[in-house]
Amino acid sequence: MKEIYYPSRELSRQARIKNMCEYNDLMEWAKEDYEGFWDHWAKEKLEWIEPYGKVLDESNAPFYKWFVGGKLNITEQCIDRHIDKRKNKAAIIFEGDRGDKQIITYLELYRNVNRFANLLRNEFGVKKGDRVVLYMPMIPEAAYAMLACARIGAIHSVVFGGFSAEALRDRIIDAQAKVVITADGAYRKGAPYMLKPTVDTALEEGCDSVEKVLVVQRNNEDVVWIGGRDYSYNELIENQPDVCEPEVMDSEDPLFLLYTSGSTGKPKGVQHSQAGYILWAQMTMEWVFDVKENDTFWCTADIGWITGHTYIVYGPLAAGATTVMFEGVPTYPDAGRAWKMVEEYKINQFYTAPTAIRVLHKLGEHEPEKYDLSSLRILGTVGEPIDPPAWKWYYDVVGGGRCSIVDTWWQTETGGHMISPLPGATPVKPACATFPLPGIMAEVLERDGTPVATGEQGLLCITKPWPSMIRTIWGDPERFKKSYFGDVVKDGKAVYFSGDGAVVDEDGYITIIGRVDDVINVSGHRLGTAEIESAIKKHPHVAEVAVVGKPDPIKGESIFAYIVLKDDVADSLGEEVELSKEINDVIAREIGNIAKADAIVVVPGLPKTRSGKTMRRILRAIAKGEPITQDISTLEDPSIVEKIEEAVRCAG
Ligand code: WTA
């Protein structure tokens, strides 16, 4: 049995949920009266312009509707309602890569967002329902842009700044965006880097929907300006009025799209709603991070990912907290950067990915001891399974054995945390996400909907709809149904299947194993094998390709690609190093550097069944160097397995 860590008495005393009895009571309430439970919180927490009727409409499952007919504008939840009590409180603390700092109060945030919203509405003609793509660095203007869209009812779609022009273009076209907001560039590791040129390339083809590009000048490097299309934010913002009437939005109007990878095909535009999303963003800030009036909260994610949406922008602001935004990387100029910031801003909650913890541990095991980290109360992790050694270091050295660690499991599709310890209540086992949050019906099931046996791996499902859930895949409702409600049926009803495997132990604790589909998780970044394969296929010498994830001590998983060359080049090619480089260049061009492969091995063929399906499990085992336990007799050519093993040995 694993060790158990209890929350300190001090943490429990002040926490919103103070012990497991309170947790159980909340869970019981939700089980007995699901709608009543959510009705209570939606009334208590949200500012409504007009009240809703039905709490949950399941008539067109799985297209669930929450708080039906209610009207609100979530920027009032995040900004306006704080003005009375918190106008001079820091809403955002920004630290630039090179150490420049900015504090934005709630009143300033109100003005900046309203002016931005007026710019979009009045200068660019952006209306309710229009799509706006953001390709932005981590600067306050990125948050203003998201909130400005929400203010006028436009749907934002943030594309992570590490994605390539091709990837950006696909997302712009899929969303049929009217406006793109970007920056000239920003700074990383002390040097300027560029974003605008990538937007220019993306817009070269097929982006006819885009009318205007708004460019925030951050690093003031030279960029090309296209007359009539490109506009300077810094110039246009000057004359905008400070007040912008919020658009009245329906609970179920889309708030944003965020593209994420699935097992098959192109990335999908996960569509989130207004009321349900903001409710859970705020509630999880309060329950999981136990954020208090005077707290300073730092989530190190990028706003290009869901973690940045929910826990840098929407959640902290809805909760009236102070959120830290950091442009740089925690290892520059040295591995003490993050700890220095914790000391300087007296950060109370620090939220990051296991990869970052492993890197900081490796580069500076004792670095945290050089700083005063006594302000820290809660440490969070997200994005991938954390391993016990990383957990222990985080707990002992960063948290000084005083802090609660919340290992939060959730997804782009879930909008906010689903399974996580509660910092003042849950006795924690290291590297374990523990229990579903109150109101969340997460279960580990077999395909037929029966609970998995204790200690066995099963499918992590959520068996009841929840307010912040994905509403649909933009433009593809059938794919939405098929992707999430096709695999597991419980009591005759299709339930949400996450794509993750998990194990429940004898005490009911849930441990997440990771994806059981063809999604790879590299440094907490979600990538689809299908996307990477279709990128690699663009290399003219590649006939066939299969990509798998290989366990990696730092990144969690790394990308391992098996390549079959076209007949005419197969013999003449001895230059595998050159080929690997070229293939990685193709990946960088099609997707971005984050999807580059760590290993690229040329093989004579792929292990295929007689029906032509590639047996990835075999390829995963070979990449790991594990013996093949699968029955290979069903392969069209069983002898291929040995040849692939040989090729990997030679390459290795
Ligand atoms: C993985 C990130 C283990 C999981 C919020 C999930 C985790 C995917 C954890 C979603 C965790 C997230 N422990 N694995 N605490 N949190 N994951 O959409 O495989 O970028 O399906 O959302 O990350 O990644 P996404």
Side-chain angles (χ1 to χ4, degrees):
M1 215 185 78
K2 283 182 177 172
E3 289 167 282
I4 294 193
Y5 291 73
Y6 290 87
S8 72
R9 197 164 292 166
E10 173 61 16
L11 266 167
S12 297
R13 193 185 48 76
Q14 51 161 359
R16 285 185 176 78
I17 301 177
K18 299 182 192 311
N19 52 55
M20 287 311 273
C21 291
E22 291 188 10
Y23 166 80
N24 289 330
D25 287 349
L26 284 165
M27 212 47 168
E28 275 310 304
W29 174 16
K31 281 185 181 151
E32 274 165 25
D33 179 13
Y34 197 60
E35 288 189 35
F37 174 87
W38 289 111
D39 186 34
H40 167 87
W41 297 111
K43 289 211 169 86
E44 178 171 309
K45 299 287 174 189
L46 295 186
E47 299 280 307
W48 294 96
I49 297 172
E50 279 177 37
Y52 52 87
K54 218 172 157 22
V55 175
L56 169 63
D57 175 358
E58 301 187 78
S59 59
N60 187 25
F63 301 93
Y64 299 101
K65 289 190 183 140
W66 282 91
F67 314 119
V68 181
K71 307 280 180 216
L72 76 173
N73 185 292
I74 63 115
T75 62
E76 294 195 304
Q77 184 75 15
C78 293
I79 310 171
D80 303 40
R81 74 188 179 106
H82 302 311
I83 297 303
D84 265 358
K85 261 191 11 216
R86 309 188 171 109
K87 66 177 186 300
N88 293 324
K89 172 175 174 173
I92 300 177
I93 294 178
F94 169 73
E95 178 156 317
D97 176 70
R98 298 173 309 162
D100 47 318
K101 298 172 190 10
Q102 214 183 318
I103 292 176
I104 299 111
T105 64
Y106 271 96
L107 185 58
E108 286 166 329
L109 181 69
Y110 173 85
R111 288 200 198 106
N112 293 339
V113 169
N114 281 341
R115 293 166 73 184
F116 208 134
N118 280 322
L119 188 168
L120 294 176
R121 188 186 260 168
N122 303 333
E123 310 280 339
F124 284 8
V126 177
K127 297 183 305 294
K128 178 175 174 175
D130 285 343
R131 274 80 58 211
V132 175
V133 163
L134 273 62
Y135 189 68
M136 296 283 281
M138 285 288 292
I139 54 175
E141 287 78 5
Y144 307 160
M146 291 164 74
L147 293 159
C149 288
R151 187 80 174 176
I152 60 173
I155 304 169
H156 62 69
S157 172
V158 183
V159 178
F160 172 57
F163 279 121
S164 70
E166 295 285 333
L168 174 61
R169 175 185 302 152
D170 284 348
R171 287 157 174 78
I172 291 171
I173 294 175
D174 191 79
Q176 287 292 294
K178 180 168 177 173
V179 168
V180 178
I181 305 175
T182 188
D184 42 11
Y187 298 96
R188 190 190 298 125
K189 296 191 181 175
Y193 73 94
M194 302 306 290
L195 287 164
K196 169 74 165 50
T198 311
V199 174
D200 293 334
T201 311
L203 295 182
E204 275 167 14
E205 267 173 55
C207 296
D208 305 335
S209 62
V210 175
E211 293 170 11
K212 303 231 158 48
V213 175
L214 186 66
V215 185
V216 178
Q217 283 156 292
R218 163 74 182 144
N219 65 13
N220 294 305
E221 296 287 313
D222 279 344
V223 290
V224 175
W225 289 91
I226 297 189
R229 189 195 75 181
D230 299 348
Y231 294 83
S232 159
Y233 164 85
N234 306 54
E235 283 171 21
L236 287 186
I237 203 70
E238 287 292 318
N239 303 317
Q240 301 304 323
D242 283 351
V243 177
C244 173
E245 205 47 46
E247 193 75 33
V248 176
M249 304 300 286
D250 191 275
S251 295
E252 283 294 313
D253 280 331
L255 172 60
F256 64 82
L257 310 179
L258 187 57
Y259 284 80
T260 192
S261 299
S263 337
T264 54
K266 286 197 169 189
K268 39 198 181 188
V270 170
Q271 180 180 317
H272 277 288
S273 71
Q274 308 272 335
Y277 172 80
I278 204 71
L279 175 64
W280 195 234
Q282 179 177 331
M283 286 178 69
T284 49
M285 281 303 296
E286 295 174 351
W287 280 354
V288 176
F289 293 124
D290 202 41
V291 71
K292 297 280 168 45
E293 191 58 49
N294 226 359
D295 282 352
T296 303
F297 176 84
W298 183 18
C299 163
T300 69
D302 188 281
I303 46 131
W305 310 112
I306 190 70
T307 308
H309 281 58
T310 308
Y311 298 109
I312 294 177
V313 181
Y314 288 117
L317 298 177
T322 298
T323 183
V324 174
M325 245 183 128
F326 177 44
E327 183 191 34
V329 292
T331 50
Y332 177 84
D334 58 51
R337 177 70 179 267
W339 317 130
K340 183 161 175 273
M341 284 176 62
V342 169
E343 175 180 283
E344 178 168 351
Y345 300 116
K346 302 209 180 304
I347 307 267
N348 305 97
Q349 293 90 353
F350 179 72
Y351 190 35
T352 196
T355 294
I357 297 168
R358 289 188 290 260
V359 168
L360 292 172
H361 181 193
K362 189 173 159 209
L363 296 182
E365 188 171 354
H366 298 289
E367 204 66 26
E369 292 156 10
K370 297 186 193 157
Y371 299 89
D372 175 7
L373 306 184
S374 59
S375 59
L376 287 173
R377 202 165 79 236
I378 295 162
L379 301 173
T381 83
V382 59
E384 46 177 333
I386 183 166
D387 46 296
W391 193 96
K392 278 287 283 175
W393 181 74
Y394 204 30
Y395 185 84
D396 290 334
V397 182
V398 180
R402 269 183 349 269
C403 302
S404 286
I405 295 195
V406 290
D407 175 356
T408 62
W409 175 83
W410 60 295
Q411 311 179 290
T412 305
E413 293 87 344
T414 69
H417 304 146
M418 295 281 105
I419 302 179
S420 170
L422 292 165
T426 314
V428 164
K429 300 186 184 185
C432 174
T434 72
F435 305 111
L437 292 176
I440 301 302
M441 304 301 158
E443 292 180 66
V444 185
L445 302 173
E446 304 275 8
R447 257 173 219 288
D448 64 4
T450 51
V452 74
T454 303
E456 298 290 324
Q457 184 175 327
L459 307 173
L460 180 53
C461 297
I462 305 171
T463 53
K464 264 182 172 300
W466 65 101
S468 66
M469 70 189 292
I470 173 176
R471 291 306 193 263
T472 188
I473 292 174
W474 179 254
D476 203 345
E478 275 312 306
R479 190 174 177 202
F480 164 69
K481 269 199 206 163
K482 232 178 106 207
S483 306
Y484 305 106
F485 296 88
D487 293 290
V488 183
V489 176
K490 190 190 171 197
D491 302 332
K493 211 165 129 188
V495 295
Y496 176 89
F497 169 47
S498 62
D500 279 307
V503 174
V504 187
D505 75 7
E506 62 284 2
D507 303 319
Y509 281 69
I510 301 175
T511 297
I512 316 294
I513 305 297
R515 303 293 302 203
V516 293
D517 55 7
D518 292 323
V519 168
I520 306 182
N521 195 329
V522 183
S523 305
H525 299 155
R526 211 171 130 174
L527 297 161
T529 46
E531 284 163 74
I532 304 170
E533 288 168 2
S534 80
I536 293 177
K537 275 192 201 136
K538 300 215 164 144
H539 189 286
H541 291 164
V542 173
E544 284 188 282
V545 51
V547 162
V548 297
K550 177 186 173 182
D552 181 279
I554 296 287
K555 296 194 277 193
E557 279 188 291
S558 66
I559 295 169
F560 195 109
Y562 295 90
I563 311 272
V564 183
L565 294 174
K566 288 185 180 156
D567 284 344
D568 52 338
V569 288
D571 294 336
S572 59
L573 221 108
E575 306 289 324
E576 289 198 7
V577 176
E578 199 44 42
L579 181 75
S580 294
K581 193 184 159 299
E582 282 176 25
I583 286 178
N584 267 331
D585 288 346
V586 175
I587 296 175
R589 190 187 72 212
E590 296 290 320
I591 304 174
N593 285 330
I594 52 170
K596 279 185 177 173
D598 275 16
I600 296 173
V601 177
V602 175
V603 292
L606 297 174
K608 291 204 175 159
T609 61
R610 288 192 193 95
S611 57
K613 196 172 173 300
T614 303
M615 298 267 293
R616 276 171 210 282
R617 262 191 298 161
I618 294 179
L619 294 175
R620 273 196 283 268
I622 298 175
K624 277 196 218 170
E626 281 177 357
I628 310 292
T629 52
Q630 288 87 1
D631 174 15
I632 58 170
S633 65
T634 56
L635 292 181
E636 199 187 335
D637 170 16
S639 76
I640 196 73
V641 173
E642 237 172 71
K643 292 178 196 155
I644 297 172
E645 286 181 301
E646 179 58 23
V648 170
R649 255 195 309 275
C650 292

